[in-house]
Every structure is written in C-alpha cells, then in structure tokens.
Amino acid sequence: MDLALFQYHIERVLGYNMNINKFVSNIIVVLLVAVLSGCSTIVVHSKKDATPPPYSGTKVALTTTKKLWYKYDFYGAVTLSVLDIPFSFMADTLLYPIDMYRLNNITETLK
C-alpha cells in the first residue's frame, strides 16, 4: 500500500487532514513508553547475579495480573499489567536463546 493512499484513507476515516509523519511518530512513542515503562522481562533480566528461567518475565506479568485482578483493581494497574503480557512474551521469545545458554553454562559448572 502506498503511503499517500494510506494517508488518504486515514484522513477520510478521521475526517480531517493529518500529517502522516506526526501520526507515525506518535504511535512509535506510545509503543516505546508501553514497552519500556514496566516490561516484566526487563525487570527480571536486570536483577544482578540472576539467571532467570525461560519466559520468566511472562510468568511474572501473568502473576501480577492475577493478583491485581483478584484485588478488583479494574481501572488502574490491571490494565497496564494486561498490556505488559504480550510485550513480555515477545521480549522473552527474543531472549530465549540467551537464557538457555546461561542455564546450560550453570548446569555444566555444577556437574
């Protein structure tokens, strides 16, 4: 799809003239804030002297969401926690080879 055609359809749907570069930059900023603000994978992997098991960030995000859900916090933190789950899953998938390499090195040194 051509960028001009995409801009035409967006302007037609929204009903006003827009700058596509500003639109794209706003989307990028929102996604970066969502990813970097509280991604559980970043929190788990940034602990010093820790070798987390694979997909530990996703497990932390699911546990946090479950705790907030049972506290009936439907309007605040549970929304951000639910948004964190897919981002943590993607980050854990990217870090999976590194986690497995670290775990293999630890198990070999313990033998």
Side-chain angles (χ1 to χ4, degrees):
M1 180 182 255
D2 187 23
L3 186 62
L5 183 62
F6 176 73
Q7 183 177 359
Y8 169 75
H9 287 297
I10 294 293
E11 289 173 356
R12 193 165 170 211
V13 169
L14 296 177
Y16 64 92
N17 190 4
M18 61 176 280
N19 184 356
I20 194 70
N21 292 332
K22 186 176 179 182
F23 177 73
V24 171
S25 65
N26 286 341
I27 296 280
I28 290 171
V29 167
V30 167
L31 287 176
L32 284 175
V33 167
V35 169
L36 298 177
S37 64
C39 186
S40 299
T41 302
I42 294 172
V43 172
V44 169
H45 281 84
S46 64
K47 292 181 181 177
K48 200 170 198 175
D49 298 330
T51 304
Y55 292 98
S56 58
T58 305
K59 291 175 189 173
V60 169
L62 287 169
T63 305
T64 305
T65 303
K66 195 183 302 183
K67 286 179 185 177
L68 291 172
W69 185 266
Y70 288 123
K71 286 183 181 179
Y72 299 108
D73 183 21
F74 294 112
Y75 300 108
V78 74
T79 307
L80 295 175
S81 182
V82 167
L83 287 175
D84 182 40
I85 294 171
F87 292 116
S88 293
F89 183 76
M90 287 186 291
D92 281 333
T93 302
L94 291 174
L95 293 174
Y96 181 77
I98 297 169
D99 291 341
M100 290 307 295
Y101 177 76
R102 287 182 179 174
L103 286 175
N104 284 336
N105 283 342
I106 288 175
T107 55
E108 288 176 5
T109 58
L110 294 176
K111 288 182 180 179

